[in-house]
PDB file of all heavy atoms in Angstrom:
ATOM      1  N   ALA A  52     104.054 105.031  83.851  1.00 93.00           N
ATOM      2  CA  ALA A  52     103.899 103.569  83.854  1.00 93.00           C
ATOM      3  C   ALA A  52     102.420 103.193  83.878  1.00 93.00           C
ATOM      4  O   ALA A  52     101.984 102.290  83.157  1.00 93.00           O
ATOM      5  CB  ALA A  52     104.637 102.956  85.041  1.00 93.00           C
ATOM      6  N   ARG A  55     100.886 104.011  80.474  1.00 95.00           N
ATOM      7  CA  ARG A  55     101.282 103.022  79.462  1.00 95.00           C
ATOM      8  C   ARG A  55     100.532 101.712  79.692  1.00 95.00           C
ATOM      9  O   ARG A  55     100.105 101.064  78.735  1.00 95.00           O
ATOM     10  CB  ARG A  55     102.801 102.796  79.478  1.00 95.00           C
ATOM     11  CG  ARG A  55     103.282 101.910  78.361  1.00 95.00           C
ATOM     12  CD  ARG A  55     103.036 102.558  77.000  1.00 95.00           C
ATOM     13  NE  ARG A  55     103.435 101.677  75.924  1.00 95.00           N
ATOM     14  CZ  ARG A  55     102.820 101.601  74.760  1.00 95.00           C
ATOM     15  NH1 ARG A  55     101.773 102.376  74.502  1.00 95.00           N
ATOM     16  NH2 ARG A  55     103.228 100.773  73.830  1.00 95.00           N
ATOM     17  N   GLY A  62      94.995  95.342  75.125  1.00 96.00           N
ATOM     18  CA  GLY A  62      95.326  94.507  73.971  1.00 96.00           C
ATOM     19  C   GLY A  62      95.803  93.110  74.325  1.00 96.00           C
ATOM     20  O   GLY A  62      95.868  92.242  73.446  1.00 96.00           O
ATOM     21  N   THR A  78     115.603  86.416 100.661  1.00 87.00           N
ATOM     22  CA  THR A  78     116.884  85.886 101.115  1.00 87.00           C
ATOM     23  C   THR A  78     117.062  86.038 102.614  1.00 87.00           C
ATOM     24  O   THR A  78     118.099  85.668 103.146  1.00 87.00           O
ATOM     25  CB  THR A  78     118.043  86.620 100.398  1.00 87.00           C
ATOM     26  OG1 THR A  78     117.925  88.023 100.671  1.00 87.00           O
ATOM     27  CG2 THR A  78     118.009  86.368  98.902  1.00 87.00           C
ATOM     28  N   LEU A  88     104.739  81.093  86.780  1.00 98.00           N
ATOM     29  CA  LEU A  88     103.809  81.068  85.655  1.00 98.00           C
ATOM     30  C   LEU A  88     104.535  81.385  84.357  1.00 98.00           C
ATOM     31  O   LEU A  88     105.526  82.119  84.354  1.00 98.00           O
ATOM     32  CB  LEU A  88     102.702  82.106  85.870  1.00 98.00           C
ATOM     33  CG  LEU A  88     101.913  82.009  87.177  1.00 98.00           C
ATOM     34  CD1 LEU A  88     100.963  83.190  87.301  1.00 98.00           C
ATOM     35  CD2 LEU A  88     101.168  80.690  87.273  1.00 98.00           C
ATOM     36  N   ALA A  98     104.586  93.836  79.876  1.00 93.00           N
ATOM     37  CA  ALA A  98     105.211  93.971  81.199  1.00 93.00           C
ATOM     38  C   ALA A  98     106.544  94.706  81.100  1.00 93.00           C
ATOM     39  O   ALA A  98     106.854  95.555  81.952  1.00 93.00           O
ATOM     40  CB  ALA A  98     105.405  92.592  81.823  1.00 93.00           C
ATOM     41  N   HIS A 109     113.131  98.533  87.406  1.00 57.00           N
ATOM     42  CA  HIS A 109     113.832  98.537  86.121  1.00 57.00           C
ATOM     43  C   HIS A 109     114.237  97.143  85.654  1.00 57.00           C
ATOM     44  O   HIS A 109     115.192  96.998  84.918  1.00 57.00           O
ATOM     45  CB  HIS A 109     115.067  99.436  86.191  1.00 57.00           C
ATOM     46  CG  HIS A 109     114.725 100.883  86.213  1.00 57.00           C
ATOM     47  ND1 HIS A 109     113.991 101.505  85.234  1.00 57.00           N
ATOM     48  CD2 HIS A 109     114.992 101.844  87.123  1.00 57.00           C
ATOM     49  CE1 HIS A 109     113.841 102.781  85.526  1.00 57.00           C
ATOM     50  NE2 HIS A 109     114.431 103.009  86.670  1.00 57.00           N
ATOM     51  N   PRO A 115     106.568  86.173  85.976  1.00 95.00           N
ATOM     52  CA  PRO A 115     105.150  86.041  86.317  1.00 95.00           C
ATOM     53  C   PRO A 115     104.966  84.977  87.401  1.00 95.00           C
ATOM     54  O   PRO A 115     105.522  83.876  87.303  1.00 95.00           O
ATOM     55  CB  PRO A 115     104.486  85.607  85.015  1.00 95.00           C
ATOM     56  CG  PRO A 115     105.519  85.642  83.951  1.00 95.00           C
ATOM     57  CD  PRO A 115     106.848  85.793  84.598  1.00 95.00           C
ATOM     58  N   PRO A 124     108.070  82.285 107.646  1.00 97.00           N
ATOM     59  CA  PRO A 124     109.368  82.043 108.271  1.00 97.00           C
ATOM     60  C   PRO A 124     110.161  81.025 107.438  1.00 97.00           C
ATOM     61  O   PRO A 124     109.611  80.013 106.997  1.00 97.00           O
ATOM     62  CB  PRO A 124     109.009  81.470 109.642  1.00 97.00           C
ATOM     63  CG  PRO A 124     107.601  81.918 109.894  1.00 97.00           C
ATOM     64  CD  PRO A 124     106.954  81.993 108.541  1.00 97.00           C
TER      65      PRO A 124
END
Side-chain angles (χ1 to χ4, degrees):
R55 186 64 183 145
T78 58
L88 305 174
H109 287 302

